[in-house]
Amino acid sequence: MAGNPELIDYYRKTHERRVYGTSSVKYLRFLRPWIRIAAPKSILDYGCGQSRFLDILGLGEDVALWRYDPAIAEYAGKPAVPADLLVNIDVLEHIDEKDVDGVLADMRAASRRALIVVDTKAAKHTLPDGRNAHVTLKPHRWWRERIAAHFGLAEPIATPRRTRASFKTWVSAPAERMRYRLLRLEEDARHVARWAQGRHNEHWKVSTTK
């Protein structure tokens, strides 16, 4: 298990008390097009928290949906074989800097292709030791170099906030980039429709844990 055991224990207790770790659903319209283009037969949400991200992708019954999060007992075991695609969303900033390379190496062992989103802005809450919950706050370039050192490539991709450093770790052909733009138009249309219907937060709360 990569990462700081004390931090993992803190997040284990946090997940037991309240809804936490659901932010990945915010990125659906930006990431789902790349996932659809990649057409994975298996996808691993590494550091999944309580999110329903994999469930709302709509990839079909033939795609294996795997979750890993050492802070949640149900998801504490990793798959025995690498996934076709790994997603890691708003996780790495919670990892101590000294442990980042170990976690990235663990992610690389779990999949060659990855979609990675890192928050580069301070969190709104602090840890019991007084540190900001985002214990590793680094600029986009720092994250790009660190991720590329393990995956060989870290190509910036779009997300809804400039404070996110977001990357994919594989090369896309021009035709795939054009398809991404078309799929994004579809996703944006759905997003606007959900807002108009007051359904924009329908995937946000995932449990009633207190």
Side-chain angles (χ1 to χ4, degrees):
M1 179 174 62
N4 184 332
E6 292 182 359
L7 275 178
I8 292 172
D9 186 59
Y10 165 76
Y11 286 111
R12 180 181 296 112
K13 293 174 181 176
T14 300
H15 284 297
E16 290 173 353
R17 293 194 307 268
R18 62 187 178 90
V19 173
Y20 191 82
T22 64
S23 66
S24 61
V25 297
K26 294 180 180 179
Y27 306 103
L28 180 66
R29 64 192 173 107
F30 291 85
L31 300 184
R32 181 158 55 185
W34 285 124
I35 294 170
R36 289 177 62 182
I37 292 167
K41 292 299 183 183
S42 58
I43 181 169
L44 170 63
D45 190 345
Y46 187 107
C48 61
Q50 299 173 22
S51 178
R52 294 179 56 211
F53 183 77
L54 295 186
D55 297 321
I56 62 179
L57 284 175
L59 297 179
E61 296 181 358
D62 293 336
V63 180
L65 307 180
W66 298 336
R67 295 168 173 84
Y68 171 67
D69 196 312
I72 299 180
E74 183 180 357
Y75 306 135
K78 282 179 289 188
V81 297
D84 285 346
L85 178 66
L86 177 149
V87 294
N88 178 257
I89 305 171
D90 286 352
V91 174
L92 289 174
E93 64 273 14
H94 294 277
I95 307 298
D96 281 321
E97 183 176 347
K98 65 181 178 61
D99 296 318
V100 166
D101 279 316
V103 172
L104 284 171
D106 194 51
M107 289 166 55
R108 175 62 183 84
S111 182
R112 179 180 62 83
R113 294 189 299 176
L115 292 167
I116 300 171
V117 181
V118 189
D119 197 345
T120 64
K121 183 180 178 181
K124 294 181 180 179
H125 65 281
T126 58
L127 299 174
D129 61 10
R131 290 185 296 166
N132 189 270
H134 292 171
V135 295
T136 299
L137 288 172
K138 298 292 182 180
H140 290 60
R141 182 175 179 179
W142 189 92
W143 284 110
R144 184 177 186 179
E145 292 174 351
R146 223 60 183 280
I147 293 167
H150 290 271
F151 284 89
L153 175 71
E155 178 184 310
I157 58 175
T159 55
R161 297 182 180 180
R162 292 183 179 180
T163 56
R164 264 47 173 195
S166 310
F167 310 96
K168 67 182 183 71
T169 65
W170 70 93
V171 177
S172 296
E176 292 174 327
R177 297 182 186 280
M178 177 60 72
R179 188 182 176 206
Y180 174 83
R181 288 193 284 270
L182 294 174
L183 291 173
R184 266 295 307 281
L185 289 174
E186 295 178 10
E187 292 289 347
D188 289 345
R190 292 192 191 98
H191 180 72
V192 171
R194 283 197 297 270
W195 270 91
Q197 298 165 9
R199 297 169 50 229
H200 52 285
N201 287 328
E202 65 184 359
H203 298 306
W204 185 247
K205 299 295 185 180
V206 295
S207 81
T208 56
T209 305
K210 297 181 179 179

